[in-house]
Amino acid sequence: MQDSQQVHYSVLLNESIDGLNIQADGIYIDGTFGRGGHSRVILDRLGPEGRLIGIDQDPEAVEYARTHFDDPRFEIQHGSFDRVAEYCEARGLTGKINGLLLDLGVSSPQLDEAERGFSFMRSGPLDMRMNPEEGLSAKEWLKQVDEKTLVKVLKQYGEERFAGRIARVIKEASAKDELQTTLDLAELVRKASPKTEKNKHPATRTFQAIRIAVNQELDVLKNVLEAAVAILAPGGRLAVISFHSLEDRIVKQFIRDQSTMKDLFPDSPIQLEVIEPVLKKIGKPIFPSEEECRVNSRSRSAVLRIAERL
């Protein structure tokens, strides 16, 4: 991640790499390459026989990898991380991955570049796509979504208590073609919010909710977690850094469910079939230190969870 001064920080860097339990000759995947902060440290810990695959759907991140990572042990894959099982199958690596790292959410380069349309603090086109070459932009999505669905999105993905009021003014402005930039939307939400939280921009929740919807982030997360079970080798680690409660809840529940023995027929008087757990939880959730939060304020909401393939 980055701070506002364009200095690059990778959140929970050492903690997440330690959680992967790097083996010198192992095969690892950085599912959210970004600007390669985590990847660099993984490569430092790999021996000459080790291998690292970076994945990113952002063309700028892929270009960065190709120009800054000249290492025969590394390759970059352009695409969404929820297709990781497909990428592994194409390389004959299904069930052979020793560690998968996911650093969720929007990356700092994306936030800091106004043209990407993620930030309510900078004027840019209303885009918000992780991959600007695919799907609808936020502006296009807001124009086509109905008000009822928008209310639901703002409530579920943004936990926005003024969702009804905000959705109504957004749809009115969109119909008049008055939503062109990120600042147009941010100002609209500010005016529509009767109360504000201390030290929090009133558009924070709305931007988060629309970004999640545009990129289908929660569905993608569920897909990649399911894929992780298939691609990891026995003893392989899954390390996931999330930045808001919706993501973390999905990760927490997935690890819990996959590390628990399940009775397929709980109401039957005889035990018919039991599904053995496929993961085990490693340690407790890990949070950034006070020092990390001081140096990089964007790390404040981060939480790291780790699991191991049985």
Side-chain angles (χ1 to χ4, degrees):
M1 306 291 279
Q2 280 182 322
D3 70 4
S4 58
Q5 304 303 312
Q6 300 292 314
V7 178
H8 186 79
Y9 293 103
S10 295
V11 171
L12 290 165
L13 177 61
N14 292 321
E15 295 89 341
S16 58
I17 305 303
D18 288 345
L20 288 176
N21 191 28
I22 302 289
Q23 308 300 309
D25 60 350
I27 306 170
Y28 294 87
I29 296 177
D30 182 351
T32 43
F33 176 82
R35 291 301 181 269
H38 291 102
S39 285
R40 283 191 179 89
V41 180
I42 293 173
L43 286 168
D44 285 344
R45 298 194 185 184
L46 288 177
E49 301 303 314
R51 185 172 176 186
L52 175 63
I53 301 167
I55 301 173
D56 210 296
Q57 60 182 328
D58 186 338
E60 293 184 12
V62 172
E63 181 59 28
Y64 183 91
R66 287 172 177 161
T67 55
H68 290 78
F69 278 68
D70 183 17
D71 190 316
R73 301 170 299 167
F74 174 80
E75 64 175 305
I76 188 71
Q77 170 71 57
H78 184 204
S80 175
F81 60 46
D82 70 336
R83 295 172 60 193
V84 66
E86 173 190 330
Y87 303 146
C88 287
E89 184 178 358
R91 293 168 172 83
L93 296 176
T94 303
K96 298 179 181 179
I97 302 301
N98 300 107
L100 170 63
L101 173 65
L102 302 171
D103 181 4
L104 304 175
V106 62
S107 72
S108 289
Q110 290 168 333
L111 276 173
D112 291 328
E113 188 177 328
E115 287 300 310
R116 299 305 299 274
F118 286 103
S119 176
F120 46 75
M121 303 298 289
R122 296 172 171 83
S123 182
L126 201 51
D127 196 313
M128 299 194 197
R129 288 172 294 177
M130 302 285 193
N131 182 356
E133 297 174 356
E134 290 185 1
L136 297 175
S137 67
K139 177 186 173 183
E140 293 165 335
W141 183 81
L142 287 171
K143 191 172 280 288
Q144 76 167 32
V145 71
D146 62 81
E147 187 174 324
K148 184 178 179 181
T149 301
L150 182 54
V151 171
K152 186 177 179 181
V153 164
L154 295 179
K155 283 183 177 178
Q156 290 188 346
Y157 297 166
E159 298 173 301
E160 174 55 69
R161 55 180 171 159
F162 305 121
R165 181 193 298 250
I166 291 171
R168 185 173 65 252
V169 298
I170 285 176
K171 288 304 296 180
E172 289 173 354
S174 182
K176 297 174 184 175
D177 219 24
E178 293 175 351
L179 286 182
Q180 300 295 329
T181 71
T182 49
L183 292 188
D184 289 341
L185 178 59
E187 180 63 12
L188 193 71
V189 175
R190 187 189 68 76
K191 289 179 178 177
S193 302
K195 295 181 181 179
T196 59
E197 299 174 60
K198 187 178 180 181
N199 299 324
K200 194 167 192 175
H201 193 288
T204 302
R205 296 178 185 275
T206 295
F207 269 66
Q208 173 182 298
I210 294 171
R211 190 201 80 220
I212 289 173
V214 165
N215 294 288
Q216 300 178 309
E217 290 176 36
L218 301 187
D219 289 336
V220 168
L221 173 57
K222 292 173 185 175
N223 291 341
V224 73
L225 292 175
E226 292 287 346
V229 172
I231 67 168
L232 287 173
R237 293 284 182 90
L238 169 67
V240 186
I241 304 169
S242 55
F243 288 85
H244 57 74
S245 60
L246 296 171
E247 292 173 338
D248 184 51
R249 198 175 303 140
I250 290 171
V251 176
K252 178 182 178 181
Q253 183 174 327
F254 178 81
I255 293 175
R256 184 189 64 205
D257 289 350
Q258 297 297 323
S259 58
T260 305
M261 189 175 292
K262 300 185 191 73
D263 185 350
L264 287 183
F265 302 95
D267 298 326
S268 174
I270 55 174
Q271 194 175 63
L272 296 174
E273 189 174 355
V274 171
I275 297 180
E276 297 288 338
V278 294
L279 294 177
K280 71 174 179 180
K281 183 174 71 170
I282 302 296
K284 296 182 178 180
I286 298 171
F287 302 91
S289 65
E290 289 185 12
E291 173 64 16
E292 179 169 1
C293 292
R294 185 187 65 79
V295 173
N296 179 21
S297 62
R298 289 178 183 168
S299 70
R300 285 178 302 192
S301 61
V303 56
L304 168 67
R305 294 185 187 271
I306 303 164
E308 183 175 292
R309 183 72 162 94
L310 294 173

